[in-house]
Amino acid sequence: MNKNAGFILGLTGSIAMGKTTVSNMFRDLGVQVWCADNEVNELYKTNGAATKVFSKEFPSVVTKTGVDKKKLRNLIHKDNAILKKVERIVHPLLEHSKIDFVKSNKNLPLIIFDVPLLFEKKQEKNFDAVLVVTASELTQKKRVLSRKNMKEQDFQLIKRNQMNEKEKIKRADFLINTDKSLLETKQDVLEIYQKIKGFPV
């Protein structure tokens, strides 16, 4: 990644750990955040770059509104090898988006990349530090199963493709546990923000 920006923080965590909440708290402080999930949603829209490829590779998952994530998940449940094919299509498109994001925000003191599979895809070397957002397994499962269109088998499939939580915590430069109140989480975000702003670039 082009290192002409200020401090580049990688933000990660397993599903339903509170990454979006923490990302939004950084945004409230004026920090620009690139979110992998949001970028994928753009790629999966009707005229999205990934949708055009999927129309040829996996036509059964493409509808009038773009890629149907539920149909795609069901396809992967039947054949996990399809996940690798999906990644080979999507990941290069995401890399282009990341480079553009760094270029357009190169004068800022801090930018953040919200990447769910940051460690799994060995991307930590791309960042000056990594913040892991975590919570208890009980909290995680409760949050996941309360989501629309999320079933136990979807949760287990996602967990299979994510690194063990203890290992993520061990690799973290910064850690936020969202089992706390929103006010306490916001305070944790502010402390990390202030600490990073004090670092020499």
Side-chain angles (χ1 to χ4, degrees), residues 1-176:
M1 200 177 289
N2 185 1
K3 189 64 180 75
N4 287 329
F7 196 95
I8 302 179
L9 179 67
L11 186 155
T12 194
S14 300
I15 184 171
M17 291 301 197
K19 290 187 305 301
T20 301
T21 298
V22 169
S23 288
N24 287 335
M25 288 175 177
F26 274 106
R27 285 190 180 97
D28 289 342
L29 293 170
V31 179
Q32 292 296 311
V33 180
W34 182 95
C35 175
D37 289 341
N38 290 347
E39 292 300 317
V40 168
N41 288 338
E42 288 297 314
L43 293 173
Y44 283 4
K45 283 183 177 177
T46 308
N47 295 314
T51 304
K52 291 172 185 174
V53 182
F54 279 27
S55 295
K56 296 174 184 175
E57 297 286 332
F58 314 111
S60 65
V61 306
V62 178
T63 67
K64 285 187 290 185
T65 56
V67 176
D68 185 317
K69 286 185 176 181
K70 189 177 179 184
K71 287 183 178 181
L72 184 57
R73 274 203 304 269
N74 289 338
L75 204 62
I76 293 167
H77 281 313
K78 292 173 188 171
D79 182 3
N80 203 42
I82 287 172
L83 181 62
K84 297 292 181 192
K85 293 178 182 177
V86 169
E87 288 175 346
R88 281 199 293 271
I89 295 166
V90 174
H91 286 175
L93 298 171
L94 291 177
E95 286 306 311
H96 285 303
S97 174
K98 285 180 186 176
I99 291 165
D100 289 343
F101 181 79
V102 172
K103 284 179 182 174
S104 59
N105 294 290
K106 62 184 180 183
N107 296 321
L108 298 179
L110 167 66
I111 59 173
I112 291 175
F113 282 88
D114 177 345
V115 184
L117 298 175
L118 189 152
F119 288 125
E120 289 83 349
K121 300 303 175 186
K122 297 178 173 53
Q123 292 184 20
E124 57 262 51
K125 64 184 180 298
N126 294 332
F127 309 104
D128 295 308
V130 175
L131 163 61
V132 171
V133 182
T134 189
S136 69
E137 191 172 348
L138 189 66
T139 298
Q140 180 190 29
K141 189 169 184 178
K142 187 178 172 184
R143 287 174 181 170
V144 169
L145 298 182
S146 69
R147 291 181 179 183
K148 190 180 174 183
N149 296 328
M150 266 293 180
K151 297 189 174 87
E152 177 74 31
Q153 64 171 359
D154 297 320
F155 179 46
Q156 294 307 326
L157 173 66
I158 290 166
K159 283 201 77 170
R160 274 206 307 274
N161 291 301
Q162 293 191 333
M163 184 182 285
N164 176 280
E165 196 62 21
K166 286 181 182 175
E167 182 61 28
K168 283 188 179 182
I169 290 169
K170 196 164 75 176
R171 295 187 185 196
D173 298 295
F174 299 105
L175 189 69
I176 290 179

